[in-house]
C-alpha cells in the first residue's frame, strides 16, 4: 500500500512538504491509522499532530483526495492505494 | 453621486464595474479589525478603491519590530496608536473617504457596538480568540466576514457569508495554539490583497467569492491549495441560524 501525505505551514518544517508512505495494509487501514503510523516515525514530533490517545489534534484540518474530512471521521475513512492525504495546521498570525 | 474628481481618481476601475459599482463602494462601510500586517494592505487597497467609510480597530501602539510588514506605519510613528497612524496615511492617500477609528480591544462586550452598521468585517487579527468574536458578530448581524491569517511564508483566506456558507467555526472548530508567529511582509501583502479583493467583489457584485473554500498559500513553493468546506450542521455558532 502506497499513499501520499502532504503537509502544510509549520508541519513542513517537521515532516517536509510531502511524503510517500508505504505500509502493509492491515485490518485497520484507516486514514487515522496510516497518518499515525507515519508520524510515529518522528517520536518527538508525533504530539504536534496527534494526542496521546492517538486522535488528531483538535485544530488540525484533514483532506482525503482533496475532500475535507471531519476529525471525528478520520478513523472510519478507508484508504486505497495511491490516495492523497493533506494535513493542515491553521495559521493564526496577522 | 460621483464627483468629477472621483470620476478621474477611479477612472481605471470604473472601466471594470462602471459608475454604478463605484457608487456601491462609496456608499459602503467596512469594519477592519487590525491595522497591522494584514490590515495594512487591506486598508490601503480599500481606501485607494474608494470604499466610502472604513472603520479601523486596533488597541496597539507602533513598535519598531512591526515595521518589517506593517507598511501603513513609518519609523517616525513608533509609539503612536496604530489606528491614528492608519487614519493619517489613508486620508492622505484618499481624502474622499471617511476613516473612523476605535483605539481599544475588540471583545464580546465591544464588538456588536463598534462593528455597528458596517456592511462587512475584515478579519486582520493575529489571534483566534478575537476571530471567533468577529465570526459571531458577523453571524449575528448577517454580514460577511473576510478571513485571513499568516505565518512565515504561509497564509490562508476565506470569505464567509452568513446564512449561505459555512462560518469560521464550521471551518476551524478549535483554535490553533497561540504563538508569536514568524512573519515576512510579503505574506500578509498577498493574503491581505486577497481579502481586499474579496471585499471589492462582494460590494460590487462581481465574480465568484472565496466561499466554502479555504485558500492556502505556500510562499516557499509559490503554490496554492484550495480546501473545500461546508456548513457544519452541528456548528455551535451558525447551525440553525438564518
Amino acid at each position: 500500500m502506497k499513499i501520499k501525505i502532504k503537509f502544510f505551514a509549520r508541519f513542513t518544517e517537521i515532516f517536509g512538504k510531502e511524503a510517500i508512505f508505504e505500509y502493509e495494509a492491515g485490518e485497520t487501514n484507516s486514514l487515522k491509522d496510516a497518518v499515525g503510523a507515519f508520524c510515529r516515525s518522528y517520536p518527538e514530533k508525533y504530539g504536534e499532530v496527534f494526542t496521546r490517545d492517538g486522535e488528531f489534534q483538535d485544530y488540525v484540518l484533514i483532506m482525503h483526495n482533496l475532500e475535507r474530512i471531519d476529525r471525528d471521521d478520520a478513523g472510519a475513512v478507508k484508504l486505497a492505494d495511491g490516495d492523497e492525504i493533506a494535513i493542515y495546521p491553521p495559521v493564526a498570525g496577522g | 453621486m460621483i464627483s468629477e474628481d472621483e470620476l478621474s481618481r477611479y477612472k481605471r476601475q470604473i472601466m471594470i464595474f462602471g459608475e454604478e459599482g463605484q457608487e456601491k463602494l462609496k456608499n459602503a462601510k467596512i469594519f477592519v479589525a487590525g491595522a497591522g500586517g494584514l490590515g495594512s494592505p487591506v486598508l490601503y487597497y480599500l481606501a485607494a478603491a474608494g470604499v466610502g467609510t472604513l472603520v479601523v480597530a486596533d488597541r496597539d501602539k507602533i513598535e519598531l519590530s512591526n515595521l518589517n510588514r506593517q507598511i501603513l506605519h513609518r519609523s517616525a510613528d513608533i509609539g503612536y496608536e496604530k489606528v491614528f497612524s492608519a487614519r493619517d496615511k489613508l486620508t492622505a492617500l484618499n481624502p474622499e473617504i471617511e476613516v473612523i477609528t476605535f483605539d481599544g480591544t475588540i471583545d464580546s462586550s465591544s464588538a456588536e457596538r463598534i462593528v455597528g452598521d458596517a456592511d462587512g468585517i475584515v478579519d486582520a487579527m493575529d489571534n483566534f480568540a478575537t476571530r471567533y468574536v468577529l465570526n459571531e458578530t458577523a453571524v449575528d448581524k448577517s454580514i460577511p466576514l473576510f478571513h485571513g491569517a499568516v505565518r512565515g511564508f504561509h497564509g490562508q483566506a476565506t470569505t464567509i457569508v452568513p446564512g449561505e456558507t459555512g462560518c469560521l467555526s464550521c471551518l476551524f472548530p478549535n483554535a490553533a495554539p497561540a504563538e508569536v508567529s514568524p512573519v515576512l511582509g510579503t505574506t500578509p501583502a498577498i493574503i491581505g490583497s486577497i481579502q481586499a479583493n474579496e471585499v471589492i467583489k462582494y460590494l460590487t457584485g462581481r465574480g465568484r467569492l472565496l466561499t466554502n473554500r479555504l485558500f492556502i498559500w505556500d510562499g516557499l513553493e509559490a503554490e496554492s491549495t484550495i480546501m473545500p468546506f461546508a456548513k457544519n450542521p452541528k456548528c455551535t455558532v451558525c447551525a440553525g441560524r438564518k
Side-chain angles (χ1 to χ4, degrees), chain B:
Chain B
M1 274 295 286
I2 302 284
S3 68
E4 283 301 311
D5 272 1
E6 287 171 307
L7 280 177
S8 181
R9 175 182 289 268
Y10 305 123
K11 184 176 173 190
R12 300 288 284 269
Q13 65 190 48
I14 288 173
M15 291 166 73
I16 303 171
F17 38 65
E19 284 182 47
E20 186 193 331
Q22 193 61 50
E23 195 100 41
K24 287 177 179 166
L25 295 181
K26 182 176 179 167
N27 294 332
K29 182 178 188 177
I30 295 293
F31 181 88
V32 180
L38 288 169
S40 288
V42 167
L43 286 162
Y44 265 134
Y45 282 116
L46 295 184
V51 173
T53 308
L54 293 171
V55 185
V56 188
D58 201 306
R59 67 180 177 189
D60 290 336
K61 292 185 169 71
I62 297 150
E63 298 176 18
L64 182 58
S65 63
N66 300 151
L67 300 182
N68 77 318
R69 63 197 185 281
Q70 301 185 13
I71 57 168
L72 269 171
H73 315 303
R74 305 279 177 268
S75 298
D77 298 325
I78 290 167
Y80 192 34
E81 284 77 7
K82 287 186 184 176
V83 291
F84 301 140
S85 165
R87 179 198 55 202
D88 296 350
K89 310 309 184 319
L90 299 172
T91 48
L93 171 64
N94 189 351
E96 306 278 1
I97 65 162
E98 183 185 3
V99 179
I100 298 169
T101 57
F102 176 74
D103 173 23
T105 303
I106 304 166
D107 55 28
S108 53
S109 65
S110 65
E112 199 282 329
R113 177 176 56 86
I114 58 177
V115 173
D117 60 351
D119 299 300
I121 300 173
V122 178
D123 163 15
M125 291 311 302
D126 60 359
N127 68 87
F128 262 88
T130 312
R131 287 189 165 99
Y132 287 136
V133 171
L134 296 173
N135 182 55
E136 288 188 26
T137 307
V139 170
D140 284 346
K141 291 179 182 282
S142 205
I143 56 173
L145 176 70
F146 304 92
H147 163 76
V150 294
R151 182 189 190 278
F153 278 98
H154 304 274
Q156 70 202 19
T158 190
T159 297
I160 285 146
V161 182
E164 293 178 29
T165 71
C167 79
L168 203 68
S169 289
C170 297
L171 174 59
F172 305 119
N174 298 287
E179 62 164 347
V180 177
S181 296
V183 66
L184 186 71
T186 48
T187 308
I190 291 163
I191 298 298
S193 297
I194 289 171
Q195 291 174 279
N197 192 58
E198 287 291 295
V199 172
I200 292 166
K201 280 160 58 186
Y202 173 78
L203 293 175
T204 58
R206 302 286 296 198
R208 180 167 77 110
L209 293 171
L210 184 56
T211 47
N212 286 332
R213 295 176 290 154
L214 180 68
F215 172 88
I216 297 170
W217 168 246
D218 178 343
L220 277 177
E221 295 290 331
E223 274 183 5
S224 62
T225 302
I226 291 286
M227 177 181 286
F229 69 97
K231 271 188 182 185
N232 174 1
K234 292 179 282 185
C235 178
T236 54
V237 176
C238 75
R241 304 275 293 263
K242 275 199 172 176

